[in-house]
Amino acid sequence: MTGFPLHDEATAPAEALPHLAAARERMGFLTTLNAVMAESPQLLAGYTALAQQFAASSLPKPAQQVVLLTASVANACPHCVAAHSTLALRAGLTPDDVNALRDATTLQDPSLEAVRRLTQAIVNKRGWADEQDIAGFLAAGHTHRQILDIVLGVGMKTLSNYTNHLTHTPVDPAWHDQQWTPPATTTP
């Protein structure tokens, strides 16, 4: 155990308090991710700002969850896969969609599949998606703006995925029904 504390409003640094309040209001409870991030008020503030901006992006809510879940699977983050599986179902994705995303397999909806493929390419190629990746995304009816919105979502998930890897953030009870174990080949 690395000993990272799970903060709440009574233990967090003062600078983190407004961000914890915003996170609690946004989610309806204080997630363990936010509780861990509160140790660094700047990390929590940055993550909160990215989450707000990504929620306001040009991607529809189901596509946003495809980005967040795809990045979390590619980064082998059990905490975020559980969270975004739950949130994806709430955003209207079907259980089959969520299972396909968790298994990194093809989605039935061509538009969402294009989002999944480009997100996976961006994460796996560390931003070096090639012209074929981009052309396939645009051919599915998406825009250049949406490519950059995916980059925003990947950046947001990189912060949370890496935080969870380092801190071993426990999965929130709200996400327990969607717990996930990464394939053995994806973790060091």
Side-chain angles (χ1 to χ4, degrees):
M1 187 57 150
T2 57
F4 284 89
L6 291 174
H7 286 290
D8 61 19
E9 291 84 353
T11 64
E15 291 175 272
L17 295 179
H19 305 293
L20 288 178
R24 186 181 293 277
E25 184 175 323
R26 184 176 64 251
M27 296 302 297
F29 63 98
L30 185 60
T31 68
T32 53
L33 173 64
N34 292 137
V36 167
M37 284 184 166
E39 181 70 15
S40 169
Q42 290 70 31
L43 174 62
L44 181 57
Y47 181 75
T48 300
L50 289 178
Q52 291 168 340
Q53 291 303 309
F54 188 63
S57 74
S58 67
L59 293 166
K61 297 304 179 204
Q64 290 177 12
Q65 289 302 319
V66 169
V67 171
L68 301 175
L69 188 48
T70 299
S72 296
V73 167
N75 285 325
C77 183
H79 183 280
C80 286
V81 170
H84 290 291
S85 294
T86 303
L87 296 172
L89 290 167
R90 290 180 190 167
L93 273 71
T94 67
D96 287 344
D97 292 333
V98 171
N99 288 331
L101 290 165
R102 291 164 63 104
D103 295 338
T105 59
T106 304
L107 294 171
Q108 293 300 309
D109 181 298
S111 177
L112 292 177
E113 173 59 14
V115 172
R116 185 196 70 80
R117 277 195 321 261
L118 183 60
T119 302
Q120 190 169 37
I122 289 169
V123 175
N124 291 344
K125 298 176 183 181
R126 292 175 174 51
W128 293 102
D130 56 40
E131 288 300 317
Q132 183 178 350
D133 297 323
I134 293 169
F137 183 77
L138 295 171
H142 297 290
T143 66
H144 288 95
R145 176 182 175 173
Q146 290 174 324
I147 293 169
L148 299 177
D149 287 342
I150 289 173
V151 171
L152 174 62
V154 168
M156 175 190 152
K157 278 297 96 186
T158 300
L159 288 177
S160 62
N161 295 164
Y162 288 12
T163 296
N164 291 328
H165 294 336
L166 293 169
T167 66
H168 306 281
T169 309
V171 174
D172 293 282
W175 320 138
H176 276 189
D177 288 348
Q178 294 297 326
Q179 289 193 68
W180 177 80
T181 302
T185 58
T186 61
T187 56

